Amino acid sequence: MPVYRDEGVVLRAAPFAEADRIVTVLTRRNGRVRAVAKGVRKTSSRFGARLEPGTYVDLQLHEGRSLDTVTQADILAPYGATIAQEYARYTAAAVMLETAERLTSEERQPAFRLFLLLVGGLRTLASGERSPSLVLDAFLLRSLTVSGYGMALDECALCGEPGPHHSLSVPGGGVVCPECRPRGAASTSPAAVRLLADLLHGDWDGAEATDVRTRGEAGGVVAAYLQWHLERALRALPHLERT
């Protein structure tokens, strides 16, 4: 059977058989892969703790028909263990990992830009240098963009009229001008729209200068937009603690 090596982030781990575990990993070169890690639930396992969600690992795998098999795992960065020490960071990471899995609907389809965004987001969460809610929303906005679902924030999503615009249509794809405003579009504060744009474009000074109310409004917009395009609610989202 072919053997290959790749690095990736563990998105999810589930028990399998008596002592095994199925891990879902977003890899640098091979996209999302699912693999069996045999015997990792035994206390004597050599690499059971290396395959926890949020861990950045270097893997060696045997390619299988439906599931690959992990034969070696080395930790590159234990982001998950560090993030788990604080609930707000832990819940933000859980949403990020689930989103990354949902945005890679087909296995073995390269998703290099999404992989880089996930590694960068987890690294920033683990460092504790920025608000978890801002890190999460920045990751979600950018991940949607690289996946083809970008939110229009600088011009009308329907006609392209330059902004600023302060009505937002989730089905329409972002902010909309008064002439294009469809029924059901939400009125969004100028500060929230500006925060969303700052997070999308990487203006952290502007983003961190916002207040809690603005961050909460922007976070609600991102959550609604994300779940609309995923066409299903995220399991981790109700547990999110925003700060």
Side-chain angles (χ1 to χ4, degrees):
M1 297 174 63
V3 176
Y4 67 99
R5 198 171 194 97
D6 206 344
E7 59 187 68
V9 175
V10 179
L11 303 178
R12 184 159 55 97
F16 181 68
E18 186 174 338
D20 305 338
R21 185 177 292 164
I22 294 178
V23 293
T24 303
V25 185
L26 180 60
T27 66
R28 176 182 286 271
R29 291 181 293 275
N30 293 279
R32 179 170 60 85
V33 300
R34 296 171 67 242
V36 177
K38 295 186 176 180
V40 296
R41 293 163 62 200
K42 296 180 180 178
T43 56
S44 59
S45 170
R46 291 175 296 130
F47 51 76
R50 305 176 192 177
L51 296 173
E52 293 296 324
T55 306
Y56 183 25
V57 289
D58 180 73
L59 297 173
Q60 180 175 286
L61 306 102
H62 276 286
E63 186 175 341
R65 290 185 178 180
S66 58
L67 291 172
D68 297 347
T69 301
V70 178
T71 58
Q72 184 177 341
D74 297 305
I75 293 179
L76 297 176
Y79 296 135
T82 303
I83 290 169
Q85 297 174 16
E86 180 184 313
Y87 188 73
R89 288 191 286 172
Y90 171 77
T91 55
V95 175
M96 291 167 63
L97 296 175
E98 186 177 354
T99 298
E101 182 176 2
R102 295 285 301 281
L103 288 175
T104 51
S105 56
E106 295 186 25
E107 293 188 16
R108 299 189 179 282
Q109 292 297 315
F112 180 63
R113 296 173 68 190
L114 180 59
F115 166 80
L116 291 180
L117 285 172
L118 182 59
V119 172
L122 292 174
R123 182 189 301 119
T124 305
L125 276 182
S127 72
E129 62 188 30
R130 302 195 188 281
S131 164
S133 63
L134 293 181
V135 175
L136 171 62
D137 290 336
F139 168 80
L140 295 178
L141 286 167
R142 297 175 194 180
S143 297
L144 285 164
T145 297
V146 302
S147 301
Y149 306 113
M151 184 189 299
L153 295 168
D154 301 316
E155 64 282 318
C156 176
L158 300 178
C159 73
E161 177 69 21
H165 304 300
H166 304 127
S167 295
L168 190 141
S169 171
V170 169
V175 296
V176 289
C177 67
E179 289 73 19
C180 296
R181 190 182 195 273
R183 181 177 299 177
S187 296
T188 309
S189 71
V193 175
R194 189 163 54 250
L195 172 56
L196 293 171
D198 287 345
L199 292 174
L200 179 61
H201 302 313
D203 183 354
W204 286 103
D205 290 338
E208 291 181 333
T210 55
D211 57 27
V212 173
R213 181 175 181 177
T214 299
R215 295 182 186 187
E217 182 183 0
V221 169
V222 176
Y225 191 83
L226 172 69
Q227 293 184 104
W228 171 271
H229 287 286
L230 293 180
E231 299 181 349
R232 193 172 67 186
L234 292 177
R235 296 185 302 273
L237 202 55
H239 306 288
L240 179 65
E241 179 179 290
R242 288 192 173 271
T243 58

